Amino acid sequence: MAVSKPVFLIWGGEGWVAAHLKTLLESQGKEVYSTTVRMQNREAVTAELEKVMPTHVLNAAGSTGRPNVDWCEDHKEETVRNNVIGALNLTDICFLKGIHITVFATGCIYNYDDKHPVGGPGYAETDKANFDGSFYSETKAHVEEVMKYYTNCLILRLRMPVSDDLHPRNFVTKITKYERVVDIPNSNTILHDLLPVSILLAEHNETGIYNFTNPGAISHNEVLSLFKQYVRPSFTWKNFTLEEQSKVIKAGRSNCKLDTTKLSNKLKEYNFEVPEIYEAYRNCFQRMAAAGVN
Ligand SMILES: NC(=O)c1ccc[n+]([C@@H]2O[C@H](COP(=O)([O-])OP(=O)(O)OC[C@H]3O[C@@H](n4cnc5c(N)ncnc54)[C@H](OP(=O)(O)O)[C@@H]3O)[C@@H](O)[C@H]2O)c1
């Protein structure tokens, strides 16, 4: 049942996704606060929750690495402290206080395999993680395994999030700036489509794990072709193979399609639908072009 007057508290207040969430909630006229309190600090987390008294916590905090996830390979203890100890601590305190928590997690815990080949079925929420090529992904997969038992917790698995601008953290910005890109289909999260869904699900106190991407998968070349068509006609790029890519990165990168059936079925209860990935990208790039982003 929906809460009459939700109060949102966003964790990881200075992060990229957190900023999008805050803007969205404010545009919806919702009561929203954000915090940068460290999740692993039990006393400080408790004090913050008692000060703000949220009905809903949105956890968009975690070690994502700068400039990229390779950072996590060299900062393992810090990554565990933030992505495992901190994330669990925050969920646990919310549980004890009867607060619903939405966790912005990752679907980068899978890799294509024989049962889930390119063009084949996607990974369901019930499938065991099978990508341990990066320490970042490893921490995220491990923490999910225990966090899923908390009955106050909604876990949303984003992948390669895309915003309507060319922010450095936007997946599109990243691949337009690489010297060379691989070309392999992946599930992507267009924030414009999915962030409102996260609020809808949180407000209705939904719990459990959801693959949180647009339906389907799209390859890097397909994304870049649409980018060229709608946003930057002069754009060109060069490809390389996964093997060549592995020589220029420290941590492996997950490539996979997620099955979004569970999310689609849940959203039918709310008469809501997330556009499939090709349509979503066309819409996204049209919004970019209309806003003069290039
Ligand atoms: N962007 C992506 O490609 C992507 C993809 C899938 C999933 N996600 C997930 O979505 C979430 C948000 O991602 P994002 O791109 O917005 O990341 P981001 O820009 O790096 O923001 C994360 C924020 O969390 C803070 N933080 C880190 N450890 C913390 C701790 N222990 N306690 C409190 N705050 C902490 C960071 O602050 P400091 O800098 O001060 O540490 C940073 O401001 C992350 O959990 C990420 O794993 C992101």
Side-chain angles (χ1 to χ4, degrees), residues 233-247:
S234 62
F235 184 71
T236 58
W237 70 94
K238 289 185 196 141
N239 286 123
F240 63 173
T241 63
L242 283 172
E243 198 191 5
E244 287 166 328
Q245 183 199 39
S246 70
K247 292 179 189 147

Side-chain angles (χ1 to χ4, degrees), residues 63-112:
S63 280
T64 55
R66 292 289 191 276
N68 57 49
V69 291
D70 285 350
W71 179 93
C72 299
E73 303 296 314
D74 299 322
H75 299 83
K76 290 198 166 119
E77 293 84 356
E78 212 172 327
T79 304
V80 171
R81 193 175 309 124
N82 295 327
N83 292 356
V84 182
I85 299 171
L88 270 179
N89 193 48
L90 178 58
T91 298
D92 183 54
I93 300 173
C94 285
F95 172 76
L96 293 173
K97 290 187 166 298
I99 299 168
H100 183 275
I101 181 166
T102 302
V103 178
F104 290 82
T106 181
C108 286
I109 58 173
Y110 298 112
N111 222 6
Y112 287 116

